[in-house]
Amino acid sequence: RARAKAGDYDEPFAASLTPIEEGILIEEARSRGLTVSRAGRFFHLMGGHSKGLAAELLIRLYRTRWRPLPVVALGEGANDLSLLLLADHPVVIPRHWGGVDPAYRLGAWHVAPAPGPFGWKLEVLRLLGHELRAIA
């Protein structure tokens, strides 16, 4: 917990919680200066950091040193939301059952046509402008 609070690490853990218990967990973490996000089966206990904060720093560095570049972000869980909100081209990768994480249900997100690494690959190729051929 101390390392997570310092902002250097997150602490992943699994728990079977009801929505009420999850809300209590989030509030207890917040009262201690921590945040909790959920990514698939796992929760992540974190200090004051996120994927979005890390990406924001990198984007700023790249844009200061080189010409502005478009930012592409792909994510599937609630822990990716801060990252996707920064991107010029955010893409939500569906879960293995085809639905998206509840964090993405509101909003006009572009959703990949397939889950997992294959959906990620299709979207990267689409964004790079490649035409896909059917693989027999």
Side-chain angles (χ1 to χ4, degrees), residues 131-135:
E131 286 190 48
L132 300 176
R133 291 182 213 124
I135 300 174

Side-chain angles (χ1 to χ4, degrees), residues 24-108:
I24 293 168
L25 172 67
I26 291 168
E27 287 305 314
E28 286 294 324
R30 187 176 293 137
S31 74
R32 290 167 172 78
L34 300 165
T35 59
V36 175
S37 72
R38 187 172 194 160
R41 305 181 333 240
F42 295 97
F43 290 91
H44 294 265
L45 181 65
M46 302 174 291
H49 62 282
S50 69
K51 291 180 182 185
L53 288 173
E56 187 175 21
L57 173 64
L58 284 173
I59 291 166
R60 206 173 358 175
L61 289 171
Y62 273 95
R63 289 182 174 166
T64 300
R65 179 84 168 117
W66 297 285
R67 63 180 166 73
L69 300 169
V71 175
V72 174
L74 297 96
E76 68 175 358
N79 64 325
D80 298 318
L81 184 59
S82 63
L83 175 64
L84 270 66
L85 288 170
L86 288 173
D88 301 310
H89 303 282
V91 177
V92 175
I93 305 295
R95 299 294 185 160
H96 68 278
W97 66 85
V100 298
D101 188 286
Y104 300 107
R105 291 212 176 115
L106 299 176

